[in-house]
Amino acid sequence: MSLPDLMNQAEQLSLQGQMLAAIELYRAWLDQCKLDPMRFVALFNYGTLLGAAKQSQEAVTAYREALQLKPGLLQARLNLGHQLELLGQLDEALLQWQQVVRELDISPKPDIALQLHALNNLVRALELARRYDEAEAYMVRSLQVEPDQSAVLQHYVHIRQKQCKWPVYQPIGDVTINRQLLSTSALAMLAAYDDPALQLLAARQFVHEKTQAPVPRKPRRVRQAGERIRIGYLSGDLCMHAVGLLTVELFELHDRSRFEVFGFCWSNDDGSPLRERLIKAFDHHVRIGHLSDEQAAQVIEACGIDILVDLQGLTSGARPNILMQRPAGAVQISYLGLPGTSALPTVDYIVADDFVFPPELEPFMTEKPLRLPRCYQVSDRQRDVGPPLTRASCGLPEDKFVFAAFNNNYKITPEVFATWMRILTQVPDSVLWLMADNRWSEQNLRDQAKVQGIDPARLIFAGRAFPAEYMARLALPDLFLDTLPYNAGTTANDILWMGTPILTCSGKTYISRMCGSLLTAVGLPDLITFSLAEYECKAVQLGRNPKRIASHKRYLDEHRRDSELFDMPQLVRELEHALSDALQRP
């Protein structure tokens, strides 16, 4: 059989869904035609079929032989990298893609599409491996080749936020700062600007680029007399994740005489006790990770869901096209996952309260507020807390005032960090305890401290810890300092549960008012400020007056568990009432 005949027959078999037969055909030809001068073409096609059939090791062998025969076959080298990555051989995969880039760099007429493919593979893999500096360098190279790459720009902005590389927005060749701003992801924008219009713009851009057109609303399900309301929760974070940690007791406390509770889930099966507890909390736990968005929507529709609560929003792993299909005509509600507008036209409401969603925010939210009377945020009163820790065991001084800020490093802005440095200047016998996300952010923050006249040794960085130990750490500082515009949410809930006060600055956006909502509900509204100047002044006053801190801690010790913030049975009843009310609205 000639090579063209082989390729034609194999293609026909593949089109008929007979992938394995096509593979066997190539294998037989390769066994028989070892000296054919075009053998490398057959090996390349054979490797492609093997990769599609998830036979990565065999595909690697095929691509390596093809490259021995034709070293300049860069598409084979590119594909070889993919298969090596799937086999867990990341460093070897990176070498293959770097070789593609090097060869195209010296080519008089480089294949731009191939060059971008290789560069962006390097970007993606290095970012996932948390090798942020290398990933950023390849992003810059990719953007110099082709400036009009919104997806690369999104990652460029966020990776600089993660490293605390300021200013975040820097010109790159023909890529202006304005272009970077317009390409900033919805999540990155929440941390960048306390501007509801910019946050809406970023969300709308996501919807424009990554979602399908919404389907018309379907008729709502007609419930029989006495039939329970069916609530479906939609999430990829029902595991050891902030959303899973907050919601587990909510699912457990739903009134089963009135509600039937479904969990539609594509979460990581992390094997944690929390994951097991979450699964048990649902009447029906439905895995949809293996389904397409269309199939998942059909499953939800078949379950007859009355109210679909999206716990994901536009965050990592989001599947907004499920919501764009309006499964079963359900009322669709955003909650917790994205503390801001999603701009999804098929999401009707966002769970809120009067503090976190003031009336002046309504023009910038595509969702209507579904207001709870006290606090929007649920929590878990059974969270795991480890044995008490000492300051010494965590590298903290026993005799100094300990400020702490445990929000993720990408939420720290230059303005907030400068405020923290001024606070340390005015409270000289103090230190700042921070979360160590990565070595670049740690070094950059130390460098910034030095620039602002603060001894870098006064910044103490804590590594990651298991949840129980993490919770125990939260009892050690004197005062937590919140970030703006991306407030602490789950972190603030944990901090207050452990009896430590947190000072916040509330802004103009939903996300910048989360901590203020929690402080109001726990009974400490005096720890809410409304400008960074006021925030700085209050932090200095508290840092110089440990007796006031002791008073706040005493209050939390005596009253927090009975406060409106942690009265979960009542909060769940209020949420159920709001959900039922939404179902009755036109």
Side-chain angles (χ1 to χ4, degrees):
M1 182 185 297
S2 68
L3 180 60
D5 287 343
L6 167 68
M7 294 168 62
N8 183 57
Q9 287 193 32
E11 183 180 7
Q12 293 303 312
L13 288 169
S14 297
L15 291 172
Q16 294 166 17
Q18 298 184 56
M19 180 79 70
L20 296 180
I23 289 172
E24 287 303 321
L25 188 63
Y26 267 105
R27 182 176 291 136
W29 190 92
L30 289 164
D31 286 342
Q32 295 295 320
C33 304
K34 295 186 182 297
L35 299 179
D36 191 293
M38 299 301 289
R39 179 179 173 83
F40 68 90
V41 175
L43 284 164
F44 175 81
N45 292 346
Y46 180 48
T48 303
L49 288 170
L50 289 166
K54 303 189 185 306
Q55 298 180 33
S56 293
Q57 190 59 64
E58 293 82 356
V60 165
T61 301
Y63 286 133
R64 286 197 187 281
E65 186 180 348
L67 286 164
Q68 286 176 349
L69 297 171
K70 186 79 170 177
L73 189 59
L74 297 186
Q75 185 63 58
R77 195 171 296 283
L78 194 70
N79 291 6
L80 173 60
H82 280 295
Q83 298 306 315
L84 289 165
E85 183 184 19
L86 289 171
L87 291 170
Q89 300 175 40
L90 177 61
D91 286 340
E92 182 62 27
L94 295 173
L95 288 174
Q96 299 301 326
W97 296 327
Q98 288 164 345
Q99 180 67 22
V100 173
V101 171
R102 280 195 296 270
E103 294 196 27
L104 288 171
D105 280 346
I106 61 175
S107 171
K109 293 184 178 180
D111 183 327
I112 299 300
L114 202 64
Q115 189 175 24
L116 290 175
H117 194 161
L119 286 167
N120 292 341
N121 279 346
L122 288 162
V123 165
R124 175 190 51 76
L126 288 164
E127 185 175 8
L128 285 172
R130 297 177 62 84
R131 292 161 63 173
Y132 294 151
D133 56 341
E134 296 173 76
E136 183 187 344
Y138 280 114
M139 288 177 194
V140 170
R141 290 200 59 187
S142 179
L143 291 166
Q144 288 170 339
V145 173
E146 174 50 72
D148 190 18
Q149 295 186 82
S150 180
V152 177
L153 280 170
Q154 284 184 17
H155 285 266
Y156 173 77
V157 169
H158 200 38
I159 210 167
R160 288 181 65 83
Q161 287 179 317
K162 289 176 181 178
Q163 297 173 89
C164 297
K165 290 184 79 169
W166 302 326
V168 168
Y169 297 98
Q170 286 286 307
I172 309 168
D174 294 333
V175 183
T176 64
I177 290 176
N178 176 264
R179 181 73 178 88
Q180 292 173 47
L181 180 66
L182 293 174
S183 296
T184 300
S185 70
L187 178 63
M189 190 65 81
L190 294 178
Y193 292 100
D194 184 34
D195 186 330
L198 284 177
Q199 292 183 7
L200 173 61
L201 175 68
R204 283 180 61 85
Q205 186 69 16
F206 179 100
V207 172
H208 172 71
E209 291 180 353
K210 298 187 179 179
T211 65
Q212 62 191 46
V215 304
R217 190 184 294 275
K218 304 179 183 74
R220 297 185 185 181
R221 183 176 75 96
V222 178
R223 299 197 314 280
Q224 303 301 313
E227 188 179 2
R228 292 183 295 172
I229 296 171
R230 296 178 185 174
I231 299 179
Y233 288 95
L234 186 66
S235 181
D237 294 325
L238 298 176
C239 53
M240 192 57 69
H241 181 277
V243 169
L245 289 163
L246 280 181
T247 53
V248 61
E249 193 172 8
L250 160 65
F251 306 144
E252 292 169 339
L253 289 178
H254 267 308
D255 181 355
R256 264 30 186 215
S257 70
R258 297 180 56 216
F259 297 92
E260 188 174 2
V261 185
F262 294 71
F264 298 102
C265 167
W266 62 96
S267 309
N268 177 30
D269 287 314
D270 56 17
S272 64
L274 175 66
R275 171 72 174 162
E276 183 180 0
R277 191 176 153 207
L278 282 159
I279 291 172
K280 288 181 178 177
F282 294 111
D283 297 314
H284 311 279
H285 177 251
V286 185
R287 288 181 169 88
I288 58 172
H290 61 293
L291 302 176
S292 69
D293 292 339
E294 292 75 16
Q295 292 168 330
Q298 290 166 7
V299 167
I300 295 169
E301 184 169 356
C303 290
I305 298 303
D306 298 303
I307 302 169
L308 187 60
V309 181
D310 175 40
L311 299 172
Q312 195 80 29
L314 308 181
T315 58
S316 178
R319 300 183 62 179
N321 281 319
I322 296 175
L323 295 163
M324 295 297 269
Q325 294 172 71
R326 300 187 194 268
V331 175
Q332 298 190 155
I333 296 171
S334 174
Y335 190 33
L336 293 177
L338 182 73
T341 187
S342 68
L344 291 169
T346 56
V347 176
D348 306 297
Y349 300 98
I350 185 170
V351 177
D353 57 51
D354 287 341
F355 189 95
V356 82
F357 193 146
E360 57 268 26
L361 187 55
E362 291 193 24
F364 305 100
M365 303 283 287
T366 59
E367 305 87 352
K368 293 177 233 170
L370 192 65
R371 298 187 187 277
L372 304 190
R374 298 184 296 176
C375 183
Y376 81 100
Q377 191 182 93
V378 291
S379 55
D380 178 24
R381 298 168 299 168
Q382 302 172 47
R383 66 194 93 185
D384 192 15
V385 178
L389 299 171
T390 64
R391 283 189 171 185
S393 69
C394 293
L396 298 171
E398 299 281 1
D399 58 345
K400 295 185 184 297
F401 191 95
V402 177
F403 294 104
F406 275 7
N407 286 355
N408 287 326
N409 290 171
Y410 77 84
K411 300 176 185 179
I412 303 173
T413 64
E415 296 78 13
V416 166
F417 189 76
T419 302
W420 291 347
M421 296 304 97
R422 289 194 297 272
I423 292 167
L424 291 183
T425 299
Q426 295 170 78
V427 186
D429 206 26
S430 66
V431 297
L432 177 59
W433 197 19
L434 295 160
M435 187 66 69
D437 272 355
N438 58 78
R439 61 186 175 89
W440 302 279
S441 64
E442 183 174 340
Q443 187 59 53
N444 287 332
L445 291 176
R446 289 192 189 280
D447 291 345
Q448 282 293 319
K450 192 173 182 179
V451 166
Q452 297 183 48
I454 295 295
D455 181 355
R458 293 178 67 187
L459 273 57
I460 300 170
F461 287 86
R464 295 287 176 179
F466 289 111
E469 181 185 346
Y470 165 77
M471 290 296 297
R473 286 179 182 176
L474 301 182
L476 296 177
D478 294 294
L479 178 67
F480 274 89
L481 299 174
D482 199 8
T483 44
L484 178 79
Y486 203 133
N487 275 187
T490 306
T491 302
N493 193 298
D494 289 337
I495 289 165
L496 293 169
W497 180 255
M498 292 306 297
T500 303
I502 178 169
L503 178 69
T504 194
C505 184
S506 295
K508 297 180 289 186
T509 55
Y510 187 113
I511 200 161
S512 71
R513 301 178 68 83
M514 293 191 301
C515 190
S517 171
L518 273 61
L519 285 166
T520 300
V522 85
L524 288 176
D526 57 317
L527 292 177
I528 306 170
T529 64
F530 296 94
S531 71
L532 284 178
E534 183 189 0
Y535 172 91
E536 177 183 334
C537 183
K538 177 77 77 170
V540 171
Q541 289 173 357
L542 292 168
R544 291 175 175 176
N545 191 349
K547 289 183 179 179
R548 289 186 64 186
I549 291 294
S551 174
H552 286 313
K553 288 197 170 190
R554 187 166 53 250
Y555 169 82
L556 287 170
D557 186 54
E558 294 173 358
H559 300 293
R560 71 183 186 277
R561 300 201 177 203
D562 298 324
S563 69
E564 294 181 344
L565 177 59
F566 296 119
D567 184 356
M568 275 295 294
Q570 180 61 28
L571 206 159
V572 173
R573 285 193 293 271
E574 291 168 355
L575 178 60
E576 288 175 342
H577 177 77
L579 293 173
S580 300
D581 182 57
L583 194 59
Q584 303 307 316
R585 297 181 192 178

